[in-house]
Amino acid sequence: MMTGINGINKISLNTETLPDRISRRNPEFARRMEEAIKDVNSKQHIADDSIEKVIQGEMGIHEGMMALGKADTSLKILAQVRNKAMAAYNEIMRMQV
């Protein structure tokens, strides 16, 4: 014998307001990403300055190439982190609730 389902009408999917959800977020990931982007940007500027110094003869080519390598590596790492974050976001969006 089956009884009626009375409890379903009381459930709401929008139980928490948007400002409440935003205030509950942990800003740590966003802060770390911002710092990483600033660090990559700084290394790019250092690499640009190093190229100019190598051309002007103020810096050796080895030091200039090291600065370029650091900038390139940090940019590649940041791009991989972004790719992983986007893949995780897309996976979450595909989940059925």
Side-chain angles (χ1 to χ4, degrees):
M1 179 173 240
M2 189 166 199
T3 60
I5 301 176
N6 297 327
I8 290 182
N9 294 335
K10 296 177 185 177
I11 296 174
S12 172
L13 295 177
N14 297 323
T15 58
E16 189 175 20
T17 63
L18 182 60
D20 291 338
R21 281 188 283 170
I22 291 172
S23 67
R24 190 172 45 87
R25 289 181 184 168
N26 185 355
E28 189 66 28
F29 180 75
R31 189 175 312 122
R32 286 185 182 190
M33 284 300 294
E34 184 178 348
E35 289 172 5
I37 291 169
K38 286 180 181 178
D39 182 55
V40 169
N41 189 39
S42 172
K43 287 180 181 174
Q44 293 290 326
H45 287 295
I46 290 171
D48 289 343
D49 293 341
S50 297
I51 291 171
E52 289 181 21
K53 288 180 181 179
V54 168
I55 291 171
Q56 294 171 355
E58 298 173 6
M59 180 184 281
I61 193 162
H62 298 293
E63 291 87 6
M65 291 303 293
M66 284 177 48
L68 285 173
K70 287 179 184 179
D72 182 54
T73 302
S74 65
L75 183 61
K76 286 180 181 178
I77 290 172
L78 183 64
Q80 287 300 316
V81 169
R82 185 216 45 196
N83 292 343
K84 293 290 183 180
M86 289 304 297
Y89 173 79
N90 289 331
E91 184 67 28
I92 290 169
M93 294 307 291
R94 283 193 294 268
M95 286 183 181
Q96 294 180 358
V97 273

